[in-house]
């Protein structure tokens, strides 16, 4: 990239809170890239390091919807970390980096010689961030882990689905995504502390830890009350009524469990007598008579359209909404207002829309600044900044180092 191009590129990051950060991205799959995506979206200069394609390094469909959504706002280089010359280049980059993120199997970074303690010898300010399947050590520390395994081992599948119909995975990779989100938070905490100490640290989490953490009140229900939660389907496990109910055209979801909301809900449905009905006049009673209450509500709601009930219940201050398919979600006027489908122009693939960041900061526009880079797109640019001339770069490429 020429000087004018570099200047234009840097202007894209102007004013963003993380624009001073330099980050090396060694991530694969989804959990690690989810962490990096947060930091890249808010201005970090991310260099994604991938194995050279000549060595069979590229995996999956780079042009597909998943890869394109995960790796925007980055630069990309190809570098063989198994070679001594490749590691030499890596450590040149690491000397000036603020953050390194990886989610290889726990022992791989040590075999490659790019682990935290090794990097720290050349850069004590580095914040080194890791995600593994089950933790960096312990009886399962050596094991490979993917999202669905964590959903099962972390208890989530046992409480998902209809009662009596067996375990069910959640329809998104929630352990991957949560681990990535939590690691981004840990990175920011370590950077904040570095301002005081002048030194970085190793921060890490795992799919299993993230999934157990996400059990939240279902976990504390066991730890503090000794209750083992079971699958409750679309019903909230403790707050009644909260669930999915039929309308004449499509289902809707309603939450009216508190005493105040229950009274308003009964009035809105034209059933004021339910408020004082024995057994339905307390939260405990409604929980015990869940099936009968759900049936009574369904008998009323199925008589009119979803739009009718959403308007009536919204007027009464009752949380409610339609059950949208994904296309209906992105057609929803509130989702469109929030700008969650963000446009970006890819030089080779053309115009795209990808999922925007859910974070908002006053005075800052959270647009997608750069599309996902092609493999090795910025290798020459990054090595040139390190002082490598064109001849040396050509030799490295011929040798399969880049």
């Amino acid at each position: 990239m020429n000087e004018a191009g570099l200047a234009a590129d840097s202007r894209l990051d102007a004013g963003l809170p993380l624009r001073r950060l330099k980050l090396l991205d060694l991530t694969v799959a989804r959990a690690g890239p989810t962490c990096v995506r947060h930091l890249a979206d808010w201005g970090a200069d991310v260099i994604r390091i991938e194995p050279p394609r000549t060595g069979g390094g590229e995996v999956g469909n780079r042009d597909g919807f998943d890869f394109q959504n995960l790796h925007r706002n980055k630069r990309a280089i190809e570098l063989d970390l198994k070679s001594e010359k490749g590691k030499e280049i890596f450590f040149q980059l690491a000397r000036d980096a603020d953050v390194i993120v990886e989610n290889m199997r726990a022992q791989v970074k040590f075999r490659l010689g790019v682990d935290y303690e090794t990097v720290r010898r050349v850069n004590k300010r580095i914040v080194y961030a890791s995600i593994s399947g089950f933790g960096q050590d312990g009886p399962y520390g050596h094991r490979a882990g993917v999202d669905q395994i964590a959903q099962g081992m972390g208890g989530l599948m046992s409480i998902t689905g209809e009662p009596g119909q067996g375990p069910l995975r959640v329809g998104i990779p929630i352990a991957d995504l949560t681990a990535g989100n939590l690691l981004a938070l840990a990175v920011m905490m370590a950077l904040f502390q570095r301002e005081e100490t002048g030194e970085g640290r190793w921060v890490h989490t795992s799919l299993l830890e993230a999934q157990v953490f996400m059990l939240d009140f279902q976990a504390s229900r066991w730890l503090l009350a000794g209750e083992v939660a079971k699958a409750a389907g679309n019903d909230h496990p403790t707050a009644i009524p909260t669930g999915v109910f039929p309308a004449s055209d499509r289902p809707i979801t309603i939450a009216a469990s508190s005493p105040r909301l229950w009274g308003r809900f009964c009035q809105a449905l034209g059933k004021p007598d339910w408020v004082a009905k024995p057994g339905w006049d307390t939260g405990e009673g409604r929980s015990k008579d869940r099936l009968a209450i759900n049936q009574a509500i369904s008998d009323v709601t199925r008589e009119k359209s979803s739009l009718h009930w959403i308007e009536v219940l919204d007027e009464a201050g009752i949380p409610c909404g339609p059950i949208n398919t994904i296309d209906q979600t992105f057609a929803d006027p509130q989702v469109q207002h929030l700008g969650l489908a963000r446009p970006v122009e890819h030089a080779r693939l053309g115009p795209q829309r990808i999922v925007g960041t859910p974070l908002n900061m006053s005075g800052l526009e959270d647009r997608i600044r750069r599309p996902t880079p092609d493999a090795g797109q910025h290798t020459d640019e990054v090595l040139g900044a390190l002082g490598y001339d064109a001849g040396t770069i050509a030799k490295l490429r011929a040798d399969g180092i880049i």
Side-chain angles (χ1 to χ4, degrees):
M1 184 180 295
N2 59 32
E3 291 185 9
L6 285 170
D9 210 40
S10 64
R11 284 197 295 272
L12 294 172
D13 304 325
L16 293 177
L18 303 183
R19 67 189 182 280
R20 294 175 295 148
L21 292 183
K22 295 182 179 179
L23 187 152
L24 302 184
D25 176 9
L26 301 178
T27 65
V28 295
R30 183 180 314 281
T34 297
C35 167
V36 176
R37 179 171 56 185
H38 282 299
L39 308 177
D41 281 352
W42 290 102
D45 177 15
V46 175
I47 299 175
R48 177 168 174 78
I49 299 174
E50 300 171 302
R53 284 162 291 173
T54 53
E58 189 166 3
V59 178
N61 181 7
R62 191 180 196 92
D63 291 349
F65 56 84
D66 200 18
F67 199 97
Q68 291 293 309
N69 188 56
L70 278 171
H71 297 292
R72 76 285 189 101
N73 291 328
K74 301 179 181 181
R75 297 189 287 165
I77 69 171
E78 293 182 319
L79 188 62
D80 180 11
L81 293 178
K82 295 179 181 179
S83 70
E84 288 306 312
K85 188 61 181 177
K87 275 193 284 195
E88 179 184 325
I89 295 170
F90 170 79
F91 281 105
Q92 284 181 271
L93 293 169
R95 285 189 186 95
D96 293 324
D98 296 287
V99 181
I100 295 173
V101 184
E102 62 86 20
N103 65 321
M104 305 173 240
R105 197 182 297 196
Q107 295 304 313
V108 171
K109 56 185 164 290
F110 296 102
R111 291 203 300 266
L112 289 174
V114 296
D115 56 279
Y116 169 65
E117 288 297 339
T118 304
V119 174
R120 191 178 184 278
R121 293 184 196 127
V122 302
N123 182 357
K124 70 175 185 177
R125 291 175 55 80
I126 197 71
V127 172
Y128 193 104
S130 301
I131 295 176
S132 60
F134 305 101
Q136 295 296 317
D137 48 28
Y140 303 158
H142 67 284
R143 289 173 56 174
V146 296
D147 177 85
Q148 185 154 336
I149 308 305
Q151 286 196 34
M153 293 178 66
L156 180 62
M157 291 174 67
S158 75
I159 55 174
T160 303
E162 293 295 333
Q165 293 188 10
L168 190 68
R169 69 177 289 275
V170 173
I172 59 170
I174 191 168
D176 279 342
L177 296 171
T178 301
N181 293 338
L182 292 174
L183 191 67
L185 175 62
V187 167
M188 297 311 300
M189 287 191 290
L191 289 169
F192 186 77
Q193 188 181 47
R194 191 181 71 175
E195 293 183 0
E196 178 183 355
T197 65
E199 296 190 7
R201 62 173 65 245
W202 185 20
V203 297
H204 53 86
T205 189
S206 66
L207 305 188
L208 183 60
E209 288 170 284
Q211 186 57 78
V212 173
F213 172 78
M214 286 295 285
L215 291 177
D216 198 61
F217 78 95
Q218 296 284 39
S220 63
R221 187 176 175 185
W222 158 248
L223 293 173
L224 299 178
E227 298 177 6
V228 178
K230 297 179 180 180
N234 287 318
D235 291 329
H236 190 281
T238 58
I240 312 302
T242 300
V244 175
F245 300 92
S248 62
D249 54 344
R250 60 172 174 163
I252 57 174
T253 184
I254 301 170
S257 60
S258 73
R260 180 174 57 85
L261 289 177
W262 172 244
R264 290 182 182 178
F265 180 63
C266 294
Q267 293 288 340
L269 260 61
K271 298 292 183 179
D273 54 305
W274 288 359
V275 177
K277 183 174 180 176
W280 293 15
D281 54 348
T282 67
E284 182 179 358
R286 291 192 293 277
S287 183
K288 289 179 179 178
D289 210 12
R290 174 200 309 250
L291 293 179
I293 290 176
N294 285 351
Q295 185 60 58
I297 294 171
S298 297
D299 289 343
V300 175
T301 57
R302 65 165 45 96
E303 295 298 321
K304 295 184 179 178
S305 71
S306 58
L307 180 59
H308 167 83
W309 288 119
I310 290 169
E311 289 177 345
V312 167
L313 295 175
D314 182 54
E315 180 67 25
I318 307 298
C320 62
I323 309 296
N324 286 332
T325 57
I326 304 300
D327 56 325
Q328 291 170 335
T329 294
F330 281 98
D332 185 281
Q334 184 65 23
V335 174
Q336 292 189 350
H337 169 77
L338 294 171
L340 289 166
R342 293 287 177 171
V344 66
E345 184 75 24
H346 193 287
R348 183 171 52 81
L349 300 176
Q352 299 176 324
R353 289 196 308 158
I354 54 181
V355 184
T357 175
L359 307 178
N360 301 283
M361 297 190 189
S362 61
L364 293 178
E365 183 181 357
D366 55 347
R367 68 187 186 279
I368 307 299
R369 306 182 311 285
R370 303 174 184 87
T372 291
D374 288 337
Q377 180 177 333
H378 302 96
T379 301
D380 290 15
E381 173 187 315
V382 170
L383 293 186
L386 290 176
Y388 289 80
D389 61 32
T392 304
I393 293 173
K395 178 67 165 55
L396 290 169
R397 186 167 283 115
D399 291 342
I401 306 300
I402 60 175

